[in-house]
């Protein structure tokens, strides 16, 4: 255990209201590629840039191509929680962690046992008919081809936030309250490039800010502790 991890352990041991704010890097150790790092989705060949395909405009104008990309690149039903997901769930069960605020849509935090999870960008496990509003699970998208349709004929849309769409206000408000009330804010696996999600960390009022990320982040953070090792590897030692 390095000195940095020992310091992190001491901070965690002394905390009572930990909030974890995470991004795609939390799930890479579960085999889900992130968007922006080398080898991520943004560096792979596709007919259109991913940020175009994952926009509301593209979804409406070219839904068949949207769903082809969505099934191929954003669904990973074989992925399982890693050491980071499991440790966060363990802290919640012990009453030390009050919330996970995640930009991920894979549902791995819940699969590990976390319950207080604010999914800023939605979840692949929730899908709904745009016509009758009936909800569907992951299989409705995963086990089909082309444009998924409800029995009523409406298109089944993933309950994920696309580019050009706004974040759910109740989810945002809950995340803000959790972050504002934290005595330790741990940021992990995110480059802090995506707004408005990345802007939520400014609501933190405490003095124990931890950053665990393998690469530099887009913001100047006054973090008291910075660790550049894989997050599952770090949290797995605690």
């Amino acid at each position: 255990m390095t000195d940095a991890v020992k310091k992190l352990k001491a901070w965690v041991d002394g905390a009572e209201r930990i909030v974890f704010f995470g991004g795609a890097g939390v799930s890479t150790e579960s085999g889900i590629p992130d968007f922006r790092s080398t080898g991520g989705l943004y560096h792979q060949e596709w007919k259109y840039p991913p940020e175009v395909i994952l926009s509301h405009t593209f979804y409406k104008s070219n839904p068949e191509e949207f769903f082809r990309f969505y099934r191929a690149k954003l669904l990973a039903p074989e992925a399982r929680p890693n050491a980071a997901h499991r440790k966060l769930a363990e802290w919640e069960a012990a009453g030390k962690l009050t919330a996970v605020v995640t930009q991920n849509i894979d549902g791995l935090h819940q699969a590990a046992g976390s319950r207080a999870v604010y999914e800023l960008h939605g979840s692949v496990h929730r899908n709904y008919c745009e016509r009758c509003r009936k909800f569907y699970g992951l299989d409705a998208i995963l086990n089909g081809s082309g444009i998924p349709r409800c029995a009523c004929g409406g298109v089944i849309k993933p309950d994920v936030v696309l580019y050009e769409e706004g974040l759910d206000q109740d989810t945002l408000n809950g995340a803000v309250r959790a972050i504002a009330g934290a005595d330790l804010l741990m940021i992990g696996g995110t480059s802090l490039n995506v707004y408005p999600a990345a802007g939520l960390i400014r609501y933190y009022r405490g003095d124990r800010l931890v950053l665990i990320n393998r690469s530099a982040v887009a913001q100047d953070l006054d973090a008291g502790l910075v660790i550049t090792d894989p997050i599952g590897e770090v949290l797995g030692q605690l």
Side-chain angles (χ1 to χ4, degrees):
M1 189 179 288
T2 65
D3 289 343
V5 176
K6 288 178 181 177
K7 181 178 180 180
L8 175 60
K9 185 179 186 305
W11 279 15
V12 168
D13 288 346
E16 298 179 348
R17 299 181 308 280
I18 301 170
V19 170
F20 179 82
F21 181 96
V26 178
S27 295
T28 54
E29 290 169 79
S30 293
I32 298 178
D34 70 4
F35 273 29
R36 289 175 175 80
S37 68
T38 301
L41 293 183
Y42 277 43
H43 293 265
Q44 296 177 12
E45 292 296 327
W46 204 263
K47 188 176 180 181
Y48 303 93
E51 64 268 32
V52 171
I53 300 176
L54 295 175
S55 69
H56 180 82
T57 297
F58 192 92
Y59 166 75
K60 286 296 187 181
S61 63
N62 199 341
E64 191 149 344
E65 184 73 356
F66 168 88
F67 279 107
R68 188 169 75 89
F69 179 90
Y70 183 81
R71 288 187 181 98
K73 297 299 182 183
L74 296 189
L75 300 184
E78 73 290 343
R80 297 293 179 266
N82 61 51
H85 299 107
R86 293 191 295 271
K87 181 58 65 173
L88 294 170
E90 179 185 314
W91 288 341
E92 180 183 331
K96 293 185 70 67
L97 183 141
T98 56
V100 169
V101 180
T102 181
Q103 299 173 81
N104 296 337
I105 59 175
D106 51 48
L108 290 179
H109 286 292
Q110 290 92 332
S114 290
R115 294 294 172 261
V117 182
Y118 295 99
E119 295 175 305
L120 299 175
H121 297 150
S123 172
V124 299
H125 296 280
R126 297 190 303 270
N127 306 275
Y128 63 93
C129 173
E130 293 189 292
R131 179 181 296 176
C132 74
R133 314 306 287 184
K134 178 180 178 180
F135 267 82
Y136 291 85
L138 178 60
D139 287 349
I141 307 293
L142 186 64
N143 296 335
S145 60
I147 303 170
R149 292 196 177 273
C150 177
C152 77
V155 176
I156 301 174
K157 182 185 184 295
D159 190 14
V160 299
V161 180
L162 304 176
Y163 289 97
E164 305 167 348
E165 294 180 344
L167 275 59
D168 177 77
Q169 198 60 48
D170 289 340
T171 302
L172 272 177
N173 291 341
V176 167
R177 286 194 298 270
I179 291 171
D183 61 3
L184 189 162
L185 178 61
M186 188 178 301
I187 301 171
T190 175
S191 58
L192 296 176
N193 270 308
V194 178
Y195 282 83
L200 296 183
I201 62 174
R202 72 177 184 271
Y203 291 98
Y204 179 56
R205 296 293 181 263
D207 58 2
R208 292 192 171 186
L209 178 61
V210 180
L211 174 63
I212 307 173
N213 201 53
R214 299 186 72 176
S215 58
V217 299
Q219 300 186 37
D220 291 328
L221 297 178
D222 187 21
L225 183 57
V226 177
I227 300 175
T228 56
D229 295 320
I231 188 165
E233 180 180 304
V234 173
L235 297 192
Q237 298 178 61
L238 302 183

